[in-house]
Amino acid sequence: MDDRDEPWMLGLHSDTGYLLYRLGLRSGQLFNAALQESGLRLRHYALLRYLATVEGALQRELSSRLGYDPSAIVGLVDDLARLGLVERRPAPGDRRSRIVVLTDAGRGFLKDTDRTSRRVTDGLLAPLSEDERTVLHGLLRRVAEPDG
């Protein structure tokens, strides 16, 4: 049964917050399906992508930067470490703390996964022109990162 023309559905589709939620769900489902073969999920990819931009990060930094619960970060890092994509090392200047660092295998995995990410994004945004995609990206960044 297709509910798209039902009054209650039309009301939901006038709510930008709901549309963003639906877009996030759809994007996550498509991305997770594309990653399924590797055994990883979008949350793993986000963690790897962040680590590719830094020399290493404390788990609490990963939690705050990615917006994930600290207990979830532990499991994600454990998953990635088991696969050899990240490793925990002593933090410079504080041997009691450990930082999470992307390995060479993690960098290679990201290169392959980045191609997958582009395919998923291209499929998701197929109805939009290149200019519309650029505008959407800019608007989403402004909303998602209001502090800069």
Side-chain angles (χ1 to χ4, degrees):
M1 179 177 168
D2 187 358
D3 294 334
R4 280 185 292 196
D5 295 325
E6 293 294 325
W8 64 269
M9 195 59 142
L10 294 174
L12 279 176
H13 284 172
S14 68
D15 182 329
T16 302
Y18 175 76
L19 291 175
L20 288 169
Y21 166 76
R22 288 293 304 239
L23 178 61
L25 279 179
R26 185 163 172 238
S27 176
Q29 289 167 345
L30 291 171
F31 203 95
N32 284 331
L35 285 172
Q36 188 173 13
E37 187 175 307
S38 70
L40 299 181
R41 300 186 55 80
L42 180 55
R43 297 181 110 193
H44 295 101
Y45 173 77
L47 195 150
L48 291 171
R49 173 69 21 236
Y50 178 75
L51 288 175
T53 67
V54 296
E55 295 295 319
L58 296 169
Q59 287 184 173
R60 68 177 167 269
E61 177 186 347
L62 293 171
S63 175
S64 67
R65 293 290 182 160
L66 298 173
Y68 298 161
D69 186 83
S71 63
I73 290 293
V74 172
L76 293 171
V77 171
D78 287 347
D79 293 344
L80 295 170
R82 267 192 298 278
L83 294 170
L85 303 178
V86 302
E87 59 186 28
R88 290 178 173 99
R89 295 183 185 160
D94 184 0
R95 293 262 179 222
R96 293 171 298 165
S97 295
R98 316 248 329 137
I99 59 172
V100 181
V101 179
L102 191 64
T103 64
D104 288 340
R107 288 186 210 310
F109 179 84
L110 267 180
K111 285 182 185 173
D112 292 339
T113 310
D114 284 347
R115 286 189 284 275
T116 300
S117 173
R118 282 191 294 281
R119 272 196 316 275
V120 169
T121 300
D122 286 344
L124 189 64
L125 300 180
L128 303 179
S129 70
E130 285 301 317
D131 287 344
E132 289 171 325
R133 289 177 188 206
T134 300
V135 169
L136 177 62
H137 184 83
L139 292 172
L140 290 172
R141 282 199 63 168
R142 280 179 39 204
V143 172
E145 302 169 11
D147 295 331

